[in-house]
Amino acid sequence: GVELYKKLRPVDLLQQLLVIGNGPDNDSVKKYFEVLGPDQACANCLILACLDSTTNSQVSDWATRAFFLYGGDPQTSHTPRQPLMSPPAQRFPLGFNPGAMSTPVHPTIGAGTTHHQTNMITPNQPINNILQYSPKHDGLYLYVGRILRPIWNFKVVYKSTLETNVEILNSTIPAEDCALILGHLHALSGFLEKNSQFSLAGVRIVNLQSTLSTSRTLQDSLDNSQQPQRGQRTVGQEALIQEKNSLTVLKEFISNTREVLGLWKILCEHQFSLYCRLAHKGEHFIHMYLNDNASVDAISSKLREVCPNLYKSEDAACSKANEMLLTAKNLQNKEEREEKLKEALEVFIDL
């Protein structure tokens, strides 16, 4: 007979280990993190933790626990600061240090000077603190990269020619793909909101102030105005704060990406090629509705919901005022026309 073997993906193996071990508190899951690497393992935990199926809720909870249990904390290593003395055969751009990804090298030698690297260390040599982000932090970055990888280097539009020899622009990314990616990003955002301690750099935290009340959260202690100044922080505190700042920036990136993809999805659902021609003429997306004598309320509400930072409340009000102007233009009754013009004027004044 024939025997068929299927090789499990790393994420499938993690799911199997969690189910067999009835959770992450066992040597098999711990060994999984050691063999695969904690950052890659954390990224796989995020895949399972962001599952939205009710049938996988237990696996999702276990993956979340494994993420925090084995994800570690940011570390700071203390190494003597080496002078910028590289052999001529290995020259890197100024500010690039392949051995310490998060700590750029600051040039201290005049341009054009060539030296051979030396390992001499003097007792008074300054110490350079190199931040090593936690595997949880790096795993999140890896997972976001995996979500966006299919479209990251894509040209978002391509040209095609109609039978009338007119060139039009089409979207390379269909609305269905936008919806799929948005689903993953939405689930990840939900994970971050549900587990807000992740943005605070971990489970094992240090006290930033000895006088903090035990009833207050770490978020309050980091954000309140009485937090220690940079010169008063310990190395461990500084590492936590730097990781928190990095995660805050990434959360903003995820939010902005969701808005851009959400807007792109709407464009794909509303005659993308036609909008591109209107945009080429300097017209607005909303003009498609105004030209068809359709109300802008529905599309404005949708845009405000999907991409509030791209389509602001002022944009919605301006679109409504333009709709009023077009309505007034088509009114035959003078009094009604003047009344509609006054309404539009009031909206513009409020802007």
Side-chain angles (χ1 to χ4, degrees):
V2 176
E3 294 183 0
L4 298 178
Y5 294 91
K6 180 181 179 181
K7 182 179 180 180
L8 293 177
R9 299 176 304 165
V11 65
D12 297 327
L13 178 59
L14 174 60
Q15 181 174 357
Q16 192 176 80
L17 293 175
L18 291 171
V19 173
I20 294 175
N22 197 32
D25 303 293
N26 56 76
D27 292 337
S28 297
V29 176
K30 185 177 181 180
K31 190 66 175 180
Y32 176 89
F33 273 74
E34 293 175 356
V35 172
L36 192 63
D39 50 352
Q40 293 286 349
C42 281
N44 290 336
C45 284
L46 287 171
I47 297 175
L48 298 177
C50 293
L51 293 175
D52 57 358
S53 175
T54 55
T55 59
N56 293 311
S57 60
Q58 184 63 75
V59 173
S60 176
D61 292 341
W62 285 338
T64 301
R65 285 175 53 197
F67 179 83
F68 287 103
L69 183 62
Y70 302 113
D73 291 326
Q75 303 291 333
T76 303
S77 60
H78 309 285
T79 59
R81 184 176 301 159
Q82 299 291 338
L84 189 63
M85 300 177 184
S86 300
Q90 212 176 11
R91 293 184 179 179
F92 299 106
L94 294 180
F96 175 66
N97 182 4
M101 180 176 63
S102 61
T103 308
V105 176
H106 298 285
T108 57
I109 302 174
T113 306
T114 303
H115 295 273
H116 291 282
Q117 189 169 357
T118 177
N119 293 323
M120 290 181 59
I121 300 175
T122 61
N124 297 326
Q125 189 170 338
I127 300 299
N128 193 28
N129 295 326
I130 301 177
L131 173 63
Q132 296 177 345
Y133 291 120
S134 70
K136 296 191 300 291
H137 170 281
D138 293 347
L140 178 57
Y141 270 79
L142 282 171
Y143 184 48
V144 172
R146 290 178 184 178
I147 294 174
L148 299 178
R149 180 172 53 191
I151 64 171
W152 189 255
N153 291 323
F154 264 32
K155 291 184 177 180
V156 293
V157 296
Y158 68 93
K159 289 183 179 180
S160 63
T161 305
L162 300 176
E163 294 180 357
T164 57
N165 292 327
V166 176
E167 283 190 343
I168 62 172
L169 292 177
N170 303 280
S171 175
T172 305
I173 309 170
E176 294 78 10
D177 289 354
C178 290
L180 179 63
I181 296 173
L182 282 169
H184 290 306
L185 292 176
H186 178 74
L188 181 57
S189 296
F191 172 86
L192 292 175
E193 292 299 326
K194 182 180 178 181
N195 302 280
S196 59
Q197 71 269 29
F198 179 34
S199 63
L200 305 177
V203 181
R204 299 180 297 279
I205 59 177
V206 296
N207 292 324
L208 297 183
Q209 299 178 39
S210 58
T211 58
L212 285 176
S213 170
T214 56
S215 63
R216 296 181 56 191
T217 65
L218 179 60
Q219 178 72 53
D220 293 332
S221 68
L222 285 172
D223 292 339
N224 97 34
S225 58
Q226 297 181 359
Q227 67 176 345
Q229 299 300 315
R230 178 176 296 271
Q232 300 172 323
R233 298 171 187 159
T234 67
V235 173
Q237 293 169 355
E238 187 65 33
L240 286 172
I241 292 174
Q242 287 192 38
E243 177 155 309
K244 173 182 178 291
N245 292 339
S246 176
L247 293 173
T248 299
V249 171
L250 186 61
K251 288 175 68 176
E252 292 177 0
F253 171 76
I254 294 172
S255 177
N256 292 338
T257 302
R258 289 176 59 189
E259 290 197 23
V260 171
L261 285 175
L263 175 59
W264 198 264
K265 179 175 177 287
I266 291 176
L267 295 179
C268 291
E269 295 171 341
H270 293 79
Q271 302 180 12
F272 182 88
S273 299
L274 175 59
Y275 167 69
C276 288
R277 292 202 298 270
L278 291 174
H280 184 69
K281 298 177 182 178
E283 296 188 34
H284 196 277
F285 176 54
I286 297 296
H287 290 170
M288 293 172 56
Y289 288 81
L290 296 177
N291 293 338
D292 291 337
N293 296 321
S295 175
V296 300
D297 291 341
I299 188 62
S300 286
S301 177
K302 183 66 174 178
L303 290 172
R304 287 287 300 145
E305 175 188 350
V306 172
C307 47
N309 291 315
L310 300 177
Y311 188 77
K312 301 181 183 296
S313 57
E314 294 85 354
D315 299 316
C318 186
S319 298
K320 188 63 179 177
N322 284 327
E323 181 185 2
M324 293 177 182
L325 291 177
L326 289 178
T327 302
K329 179 181 178 181
N330 297 325
L331 290 175
Q332 300 298 324
N333 185 288
K334 182 178 179 181
E335 293 181 356
E336 293 180 354
R337 184 169 61 250
E338 289 181 353
E339 181 65 25
K340 186 62 68 174
L341 289 173
K342 288 181 180 179
E343 292 178 8
L345 179 61
E346 290 176 358
V347 173
F348 280 122
I349 291 175
D350 291 338
L351 292 176

